[in-house]
Amino acid sequence: MLTVINLYTIDKIFNEDAEFKLSPTAKMLYINCLTHHFKEKKPTVLGAVAFSIFINDIRDYHKFERLFQELHKAGLV
């Protein structure tokens, strides 16, 4: 799936889908989540629509909690 996600897609997510401008650190975290989630996925329309991030699946969640809250407020997670 990572062959389908490109810079245009990421720019569109941040500029059109996010409800407000994100900090650069929150953007980096989101890109990391995209990379981690879609790394082994095959490119399908069904798989490209959305995905879930579970707190228990995130190592050191509390270290990034403020950034995840920022992404949540922006409507991205």
PDB file of all heavy atoms in Angstrom, residues 43-71:
ATOM      1  N   PRO A  43      -2.385  -2.921  -1.889  1.00  0.00           N
ATOM      2  CA  PRO A  43      -3.171  -1.760  -2.317  1.00  0.00           C
ATOM      3  C   PRO A  43      -4.566  -2.152  -2.805  1.00  0.00           C
ATOM      4  O   PRO A  43      -4.728  -2.674  -3.897  1.00  0.00           O
ATOM      5  CB  PRO A  43      -2.337  -1.150  -3.442  1.00  0.00           C
ATOM      6  CG  PRO A  43      -1.433  -2.235  -3.904  1.00  0.00           C
ATOM      7  CD  PRO A  43      -1.265  -3.182  -2.765  1.00  0.00           C
ATOM      8  N   THR A  44      -5.550  -1.924  -1.963  1.00  0.00           N
ATOM      9  CA  THR A  44      -6.946  -2.164  -2.326  1.00  0.00           C
ATOM     10  C   THR A  44      -7.761  -0.942  -1.942  1.00  0.00           C
ATOM     11  O   THR A  44      -7.381  -0.188  -1.037  1.00  0.00           O
ATOM     12  CB  THR A  44      -7.531  -3.391  -1.584  1.00  0.00           C
ATOM     13  OG1 THR A  44      -7.557  -3.112  -0.183  1.00  0.00           O
ATOM     14  CG2 THR A  44      -6.724  -4.652  -1.853  1.00  0.00           C
ATOM     15  N   VAL A  45      -8.864  -0.746  -2.610  1.00  0.00           N
ATOM     16  CA  VAL A  45      -9.736   0.382  -2.295  1.00  0.00           C
ATOM     17  C   VAL A  45     -10.291   0.241  -0.887  1.00  0.00           C
ATOM     18  O   VAL A  45     -10.314   1.196  -0.121  1.00  0.00           O
ATOM     19  CB  VAL A  45     -10.887   0.491  -3.327  1.00  0.00           C
ATOM     20  CG1 VAL A  45     -11.879   1.565  -2.925  1.00  0.00           C
ATOM     21  CG2 VAL A  45     -10.331   0.771  -4.710  1.00  0.00           C
ATOM     22  N   LEU A  46     -10.717  -0.946  -0.532  1.00  0.00           N
ATOM     23  CA  LEU A  46     -11.272  -1.175   0.800  1.00  0.00           C
ATOM     24  C   LEU A  46     -10.247  -0.885   1.891  1.00  0.00           C
ATOM     25  O   LEU A  46     -10.561  -0.251   2.898  1.00  0.00           O
ATOM     26  CB  LEU A  46     -11.765  -2.621   0.932  1.00  0.00           C
ATOM     27  CG  LEU A  46     -12.420  -2.990   2.252  1.00  0.00           C
ATOM     28  CD1 LEU A  46     -13.683  -2.167   2.480  1.00  0.00           C
ATOM     29  CD2 LEU A  46     -12.757  -4.466   2.271  1.00  0.00           C
ATOM     30  N   GLY A  47      -9.022  -1.279   1.679  1.00  0.00           N
ATOM     31  CA  GLY A  47      -7.977  -1.064   2.673  1.00  0.00           C
ATOM     32  C   GLY A  47      -7.484   0.364   2.752  1.00  0.00           C
ATOM     33  O   GLY A  47      -6.828   0.753   3.711  1.00  0.00           O
ATOM     34  N   ALA A  48      -7.800   1.177   1.755  1.00  0.00           N
ATOM     35  CA  ALA A  48      -7.299   2.545   1.707  1.00  0.00           C
ATOM     36  C   ALA A  48      -8.231   3.566   2.344  1.00  0.00           C
ATOM     37  O   ALA A  48      -7.860   4.721   2.506  1.00  0.00           O
ATOM     38  CB  ALA A  48      -7.046   2.948   0.255  1.00  0.00           C
ATOM     39  N   VAL A  49      -9.422   3.158   2.715  1.00  0.00           N
ATOM     40  CA  VAL A  49     -10.410   4.112   3.193  1.00  0.00           C
ATOM     41  C   VAL A  49     -10.074   4.681   4.563  1.00  0.00           C
ATOM     42  O   VAL A  49     -10.059   5.881   4.763  1.00  0.00           O
ATOM     43  CB  VAL A  49     -11.817   3.465   3.205  1.00  0.00           C
ATOM     44  CG1 VAL A  49     -12.844   4.416   3.766  1.00  0.00           C
ATOM     45  CG2 VAL A  49     -12.193   3.034   1.805  1.00  0.00           C
ATOM     46  N   ALA A  50      -9.810   3.853   5.519  1.00  0.00           N
ATOM     47  CA  ALA A  50      -9.528   4.307   6.886  1.00  0.00           C
ATOM     48  C   ALA A  50      -8.848   3.188   7.652  1.00  0.00           C
ATOM     49  O   ALA A  50      -8.817   2.052   7.200  1.00  0.00           O
ATOM     50  CB  ALA A  50     -10.822   4.710   7.596  1.00  0.00           C
ATOM     51  N   PHE A  51      -8.332   3.525   8.808  1.00  0.00           N
ATOM     52  CA  PHE A  51      -7.736   2.496   9.656  1.00  0.00           C
ATOM     53  C   PHE A  51      -7.845   2.925  11.100  1.00  0.00           C
ATOM     54  O   PHE A  51      -8.041   4.094  11.403  1.00  0.00           O
ATOM     55  CB  PHE A  51      -6.293   2.205   9.257  1.00  0.00           C
ATOM     56  CG  PHE A  51      -5.328   3.341   9.490  1.00  0.00           C
ATOM     57  CD1 PHE A  51      -4.538   3.369  10.624  1.00  0.00           C
ATOM     58  CD2 PHE A  51      -5.199   4.351   8.559  1.00  0.00           C
ATOM     59  CE1 PHE A  51      -3.638   4.403  10.833  1.00  0.00           C
ATOM     60  CE2 PHE A  51      -4.299   5.384   8.748  1.00  0.00           C
ATOM     61  CZ  PHE A  51      -3.515   5.413   9.884  1.00  0.00           C
ATOM     62  N   SER A  52      -7.732   1.954  11.978  1.00  0.00           N
ATOM     63  CA  SER A  52      -7.845   2.211  13.414  1.00  0.00           C
ATOM     64  C   SER A  52      -6.471   2.153  14.062  1.00  0.00           C
ATOM     65  O   SER A  52      -5.633   1.343  13.684  1.00  0.00           O
ATOM     66  CB  SER A  52      -8.744   1.170  14.078  1.00  0.00           C
ATOM     67  OG  SER A  52     -10.038   1.212  13.525  1.00  0.00           O
ATOM     68  N   ILE A  53      -6.272   3.017  15.027  1.00  0.00           N
ATOM     69  CA  ILE A  53      -5.073   2.991  15.850  1.00  0.00           C
ATOM     70  C   ILE A  53      -5.545   2.751  17.279  1.00  0.00           C
ATOM     71  O   ILE A  53      -6.366   3.505  17.791  1.00  0.00           O
ATOM     72  CB  ILE A  53      -4.302   4.326  15.784  1.00  0.00           C
ATOM     73  CG1 ILE A  53      -3.835   4.618  14.369  1.00  0.00           C
ATOM     74  CG2 ILE A  53      -3.121   4.307  16.742  1.00  0.00           C
ATOM     75  CD1 ILE A  53      -3.173   5.975  14.215  1.00  0.00           C
ATOM     76  N   PHE A  54      -5.038   1.698  17.886  1.00  0.00           N
ATOM     77  CA  PHE A  54      -5.433   1.378  19.255  1.00  0.00           C
ATOM     78  C   PHE A  54      -4.293   1.736  20.208  1.00  0.00           C
ATOM     79  O   PHE A  54      -3.123   1.461  19.931  1.00  0.00           O
ATOM     80  CB  PHE A  54      -5.782  -0.108  19.374  1.00  0.00           C
ATOM     81  CG  PHE A  54      -6.912  -0.508  18.484  1.00  0.00           C
ATOM     82  CD1 PHE A  54      -6.670  -1.187  17.298  1.00  0.00           C
ATOM     83  CD2 PHE A  54      -8.220  -0.182  18.808  1.00  0.00           C
ATOM     84  CE1 PHE A  54      -7.718  -1.553  16.462  1.00  0.00           C
ATOM     85  CE2 PHE A  54      -9.273  -0.531  17.984  1.00  0.00           C
ATOM     86  CZ  PHE A  54      -9.025  -1.220  16.800  1.00  0.00           C
ATOM     87  N   ILE A  55      -4.642   2.347  21.308  1.00  0.00           N
ATOM     88  CA  ILE A  55      -3.641   2.788  22.287  1.00  0.00           C
ATOM     89  C   ILE A  55      -2.744   1.634  22.714  1.00  0.00           C
ATOM     90  O   ILE A  55      -1.530   1.791  22.822  1.00  0.00           O
ATOM     91  CB  ILE A  55      -4.326   3.442  23.510  1.00  0.00           C
ATOM     92  CG1 ILE A  55      -4.970   4.763  23.093  1.00  0.00           C
ATOM     93  CG2 ILE A  55      -3.335   3.657  24.645  1.00  0.00           C
ATOM     94  CD1 ILE A  55      -5.812   5.412  24.162  1.00  0.00           C
ATOM     95  N   ASN A  56      -3.313   0.458  22.908  1.00  0.00           N
ATOM     96  CA  ASN A  56      -2.524  -0.697  23.354  1.00  0.00           C
ATOM     97  C   ASN A  56      -1.500  -1.151  22.317  1.00  0.00           C
ATOM     98  O   ASN A  56      -0.542  -1.837  22.654  1.00  0.00           O
ATOM     99  CB  ASN A  56      -3.437  -1.863  23.723  1.00  0.00           C
ATOM    100  CG  ASN A  56      -4.260  -1.568  24.951  1.00  0.00           C
ATOM    101  OD1 ASN A  56      -3.889  -0.738  25.775  1.00  0.00           O
ATOM    102  ND2 ASN A  56      -5.386  -2.238  25.079  1.00  0.00           N
ATOM    103  N   ASP A  57      -1.708  -0.789  21.057  1.00  0.00           N
ATOM    104  CA  ASP A  57      -0.784  -1.176  19.994  1.00  0.00           C
ATOM    105  C   ASP A  57       0.376  -0.197  19.836  1.00  0.00           C
ATOM    106  O   ASP A  57       1.298  -0.451  19.062  1.00  0.00           O
ATOM    107  CB  ASP A  57      -1.515  -1.279  18.655  1.00  0.00           C
ATOM    108  CG  ASP A  57      -2.542  -2.404  18.651  1.00  0.00           C
ATOM    109  OD1 ASP A  57      -2.394  -3.347  19.459  1.00  0.00           O
ATOM    110  OD2 ASP A  57      -3.475  -2.338  17.839  1.00  0.00           O
ATOM    111  N   ILE A  58       0.324   0.909  20.550  1.00  0.00           N
ATOM    112  CA  ILE A  58       1.343   1.950  20.401  1.00  0.00           C
ATOM    113  C   ILE A  58       2.330   1.864  21.554  1.00  0.00           C
ATOM    114  O   ILE A  58       1.970   2.064  22.711  1.00  0.00           O
ATOM    115  CB  ILE A  58       0.693   3.355  20.372  1.00  0.00           C
ATOM    116  CG1 ILE A  58      -0.287   3.433  19.225  1.00  0.00           C
ATOM    117  CG2 ILE A  58       1.765   4.436  20.277  1.00  0.00           C
ATOM    118  CD1 ILE A  58      -1.178   4.646  19.269  1.00  0.00           C
ATOM    119  N   ARG A  59       3.554   1.561  21.186  1.00  0.00           N
ATOM    120  CA  ARG A  59       4.614   1.515  22.199  1.00  0.00           C
ATOM    121  C   ARG A  59       4.882   2.947  22.670  1.00  0.00           C
ATOM    122  O   ARG A  59       4.942   3.867  21.863  1.00  0.00           O
ATOM    123  CB  ARG A  59       5.869   0.909  21.586  1.00  0.00           C
ATOM    124  CG  ARG A  59       6.978   0.720  22.572  1.00  0.00           C
ATOM    125  CD  ARG A  59       8.158   0.055  21.950  1.00  0.00           C
ATOM    126  NE  ARG A  59       8.228   0.312  20.510  1.00  0.00           N
ATOM    127  CZ  ARG A  59       9.271   0.069  19.768  1.00  0.00           C
ATOM    128  NH1 ARG A  59      10.339  -0.451  20.286  1.00  0.00           N
ATOM    129  NH2 ARG A  59       9.259   0.325  18.488  1.00  0.00           N
ATOM    130  N   ASP A  60       5.003   3.152  23.931  1.00  0.00           N
ATOM    131  CA  ASP A  60       5.267   4.471  24.530  1.00  0.00           C
ATOM    132  C   ASP A  60       4.181   5.498  24.191  1.00  0.00           C
ATOM    133  O   ASP A  60       4.465   6.654  23.926  1.00  0.00           O
ATOM    134  CB  ASP A  60       6.631   5.020  24.085  1.00  0.00           C
ATOM    135  CG  ASP A  60       7.781   4.152  24.533  1.00  0.00           C
ATOM    136  OD1 ASP A  60       7.665   3.530  25.609  1.00  0.00           O
ATOM    137  OD2 ASP A  60       8.787   4.097  23.815  1.00  0.00           O
ATOM    138  N   TYR A  61       2.920   5.050  24.217  1.00  0.00           N
ATOM    139  CA  TYR A  61       1.812   5.958  23.893  1.00  0.00           C
ATOM    140  C   TYR A  61       1.876   7.231  24.727  1.00  0.00           C
ATOM    141  O   TYR A  61       1.691   8.328  24.198  1.00  0.00           O
ATOM    142  CB  TYR A  61       0.455   5.272  24.103  1.00  0.00           C
ATOM    143  CG  TYR A  61      -0.694   6.249  24.014  1.00  0.00           C
ATOM    144  CD1 TYR A  61      -1.169   6.669  22.784  1.00  0.00           C
ATOM    145  CD2 TYR A  61      -1.277   6.779  25.160  1.00  0.00           C
ATOM    146  CE1 TYR A  61      -2.204   7.585  22.691  1.00  0.00           C
ATOM    147  CE2 TYR A  61      -2.308   7.692  25.085  1.00  0.00           C
ATOM    148  CZ  TYR A  61      -2.768   8.090  23.844  1.00  0.00           C
ATOM    149  OH  TYR A  61      -3.784   9.003  23.761  1.00  0.00           O
ATOM    150  N   HIS A  62       2.136   7.105  26.006  1.00  0.00           N
ATOM    151  CA  HIS A  62       2.110   8.272  26.892  1.00  0.00           C
ATOM    152  C   HIS A  62       3.164   9.307  26.498  1.00  0.00           C
ATOM    153  O   HIS A  62       2.980  10.497  26.729  1.00  0.00           O
ATOM    154  CB  HIS A  62       2.259   7.839  28.348  1.00  0.00           C
ATOM    155  CG  HIS A  62       1.097   6.994  28.784  1.00  0.00           C
ATOM    156  ND1 HIS A  62      -0.161   7.499  28.939  1.00  0.00           N
ATOM    157  CD2 HIS A  62       1.012   5.667  29.055  1.00  0.00           C
ATOM    158  CE1 HIS A  62      -0.982   6.535  29.298  1.00  0.00           C
ATOM    159  NE2 HIS A  62      -0.294   5.404  29.366  1.00  0.00           N
ATOM    160  N   LYS A  63       4.229   8.862  25.884  1.00  0.00           N
ATOM    161  CA  LYS A  63       5.259   9.782  25.402  1.00  0.00           C
ATOM    162  C   LYS A  63       4.718  10.670  24.279  1.00  0.00           C
ATOM    163  O   LYS A  63       5.118  11.813  24.137  1.00  0.00           O
ATOM    164  CB  LYS A  63       6.458   8.961  24.907  1.00  0.00           C
ATOM    165  CG  LYS A  63       7.603   9.769  24.380  1.00  0.00           C
ATOM    166  CD  LYS A  63       8.743   8.854  23.965  1.00  0.00           C
ATOM    167  CE  LYS A  63       9.877   9.629  23.356  1.00  0.00           C
ATOM    168  NZ  LYS A  63      10.955   8.748  22.902  1.00  0.00           N
ATOM    169  N   PHE A  64       3.752  10.138  23.505  1.00  0.00           N
ATOM    170  CA  PHE A  64       3.204  10.847  22.357  1.00  0.00           C
ATOM    171  C   PHE A  64       1.744  11.264  22.552  1.00  0.00           C
ATOM    172  O   PHE A  64       1.090  11.701  21.616  1.00  0.00           O
ATOM    173  CB  PHE A  64       3.300   9.967  21.103  1.00  0.00           C
ATOM    174  CG  PHE A  64       4.695   9.524  20.800  1.00  0.00           C
ATOM    175  CD1 PHE A  64       5.096   8.226  21.070  1.00  0.00           C
ATOM    176  CD2 PHE A  64       5.620  10.400  20.253  1.00  0.00           C
ATOM    177  CE1 PHE A  64       6.386   7.808  20.789  1.00  0.00           C
ATOM    178  CE2 PHE A  64       6.908   9.994  19.973  1.00  0.00           C
ATOM    179  CZ  PHE A  64       7.296   8.701  20.241  1.00  0.00           C
ATOM    180  N   GLU A  65       1.251  11.127  23.760  1.00  0.00           N
ATOM    181  CA  GLU A  65      -0.173  11.361  24.025  1.00  0.00           C
ATOM    182  C   GLU A  65      -0.641  12.743  23.569  1.00  0.00           C
ATOM    183  O   GLU A  65      -1.694  12.880  22.949  1.00  0.00           O
ATOM    184  CB  GLU A  65      -0.469  11.170  25.512  1.00  0.00           C
ATOM    185  CG  GLU A  65      -1.938  11.257  25.836  1.00  0.00           C
ATOM    186  CD  GLU A  65      -2.240  10.864  27.271  1.00  0.00           C
ATOM    187  OE1 GLU A  65      -1.297  10.651  28.068  1.00  0.00           O
ATOM    188  OE2 GLU A  65      -3.428  10.786  27.592  1.00  0.00           O
ATOM    189  N   ARG A  66       0.139  13.769  23.854  1.00  0.00           N
ATOM    190  CA  ARG A  66      -0.246  15.124  23.450  1.00  0.00           C
ATOM    191  C   ARG A  66      -0.396  15.227  21.931  1.00  0.00           C
ATOM    192  O   ARG A  66      -1.335  15.846  21.428  1.00  0.00           O
ATOM    193  CB  ARG A  66       0.797  16.134  23.936  1.00  0.00           C
ATOM    194  CG  ARG A  66       0.472  17.580  23.572  1.00  0.00           C
ATOM    195  CD  ARG A  66       1.603  18.540  23.904  1.00  0.00           C
ATOM    196  NE  ARG A  66       2.864  18.235  23.251  1.00  0.00           N
ATOM    197  CZ  ARG A  66       3.148  18.540  21.980  1.00  0.00           C
ATOM    198  NH1 ARG A  66       2.269  19.134  21.229  1.00  0.00           N
ATOM    199  NH2 ARG A  66       4.326  18.229  21.472  1.00  0.00           N
ATOM    200  N   LEU A  67       0.488  14.575  21.196  1.00  0.00           N
ATOM    201  CA  LEU A  67       0.422  14.616  19.736  1.00  0.00           C
ATOM    202  C   LEU A  67      -0.772  13.829  19.204  1.00  0.00           C
ATOM    203  O   LEU A  67      -1.436  14.264  18.252  1.00  0.00           O
ATOM    204  CB  LEU A  67       1.727  14.083  19.141  1.00  0.00           C
ATOM    205  CG  LEU A  67       2.965  14.899  19.489  1.00  0.00           C
ATOM    206  CD1 LEU A  67       4.217  14.190  19.011  1.00  0.00           C
ATOM    207  CD2 LEU A  67       2.871  16.302  18.901  1.00  0.00           C
ATOM    208  N   PHE A  68      -1.065  12.688  19.829  1.00  0.00           N
ATOM    209  CA  PHE A  68      -2.246  11.933  19.421  1.00  0.00           C
ATOM    210  C   PHE A  68      -3.520  12.722  19.717  1.00  0.00           C
ATOM    211  O   PHE A  68      -4.476  12.677  18.942  1.00  0.00           O
ATOM    212  CB  PHE A  68      -2.284  10.557  20.093  1.00  0.00           C
ATOM    213  CG  PHE A  68      -1.459   9.529  19.387  1.00  0.00           C
ATOM    214  CD1 PHE A  68      -0.305   9.037  19.966  1.00  0.00           C
ATOM    215  CD2 PHE A  68      -1.815   9.060  18.132  1.00  0.00           C
ATOM    216  CE1 PHE A  68       0.472   8.091  19.317  1.00  0.00           C
ATOM    217  CE2 PHE A  68      -1.054   8.122  17.467  1.00  0.00           C
ATOM    218  CZ  PHE A  68       0.095   7.634  18.058  1.00  0.00           C
ATOM    219  N   GLN A  69      -3.528  13.466  20.805  1.00  0.00           N
ATOM    220  CA  GLN A  69      -4.687  14.311  21.107  1.00  0.00           C
ATOM    221  C   GLN A  69      -4.841  15.408  20.053  1.00  0.00           C
ATOM    222  O   GLN A  69      -5.949  15.734  19.641  1.00  0.00           O
ATOM    223  CB  GLN A  69      -4.554  14.913  22.506  1.00  0.00           C
ATOM    224  CG  GLN A  69      -4.746  13.891  23.603  1.00  0.00           C
ATOM    225  CD  GLN A  69      -4.466  14.456  24.984  1.00  0.00           C
ATOM    226  OE1 GLN A  69      -3.986  15.564  25.150  1.00  0.00           O
ATOM    227  NE2 GLN A  69      -4.757  13.650  26.000  1.00  0.00           N
ATOM    228  N   GLU A  70      -3.719  15.953  19.618  1.00  0.00           N
ATOM    229  CA  GLU A  70      -3.744  16.963  18.560  1.00  0.00           C
ATOM    230  C   GLU A  70      -4.300  16.365  17.262  1.00  0.00           C
ATOM    231  O   GLU A  70      -5.151  16.965  16.604  1.00  0.00           O
ATOM    232  CB  GLU A  70      -2.339  17.514  18.325  1.00  0.00           C
ATOM    233  CG  GLU A  70      -2.257  18.604  17.296  1.00  0.00           C
ATOM    234  CD  GLU A  70      -0.852  19.163  17.114  1.00  0.00           C
ATOM    235  OE1 GLU A  70       0.047  18.892  17.935  1.00  0.00           O
ATOM    236  OE2 GLU A  70      -0.661  19.873  16.112  1.00  0.00           O
ATOM    237  N   LEU A  71      -3.851  15.170  16.905  1.00  0.00           N
ATOM    238  CA  LEU A  71      -4.359  14.490  15.709  1.00  0.00           C
ATOM    239  C   LEU A  71      -5.842  14.171  15.850  1.00  0.00           C
ATOM    240  O   LEU A  71      -6.606  14.298  14.891  1.00  0.00           O
ATOM    241  CB  LEU A  71      -3.563  13.213  15.457  1.00  0.00           C
ATOM    242  CG  LEU A  71      -2.118  13.395  15.008  1.00  0.00           C
ATOM    243  CD1 LEU A  71      -1.378  12.064  15.048  1.00  0.00           C
ATOM    244  CD2 LEU A  71      -2.065  14.010  13.622  1.00  0.00           C
TER     245      LEU A  71
END
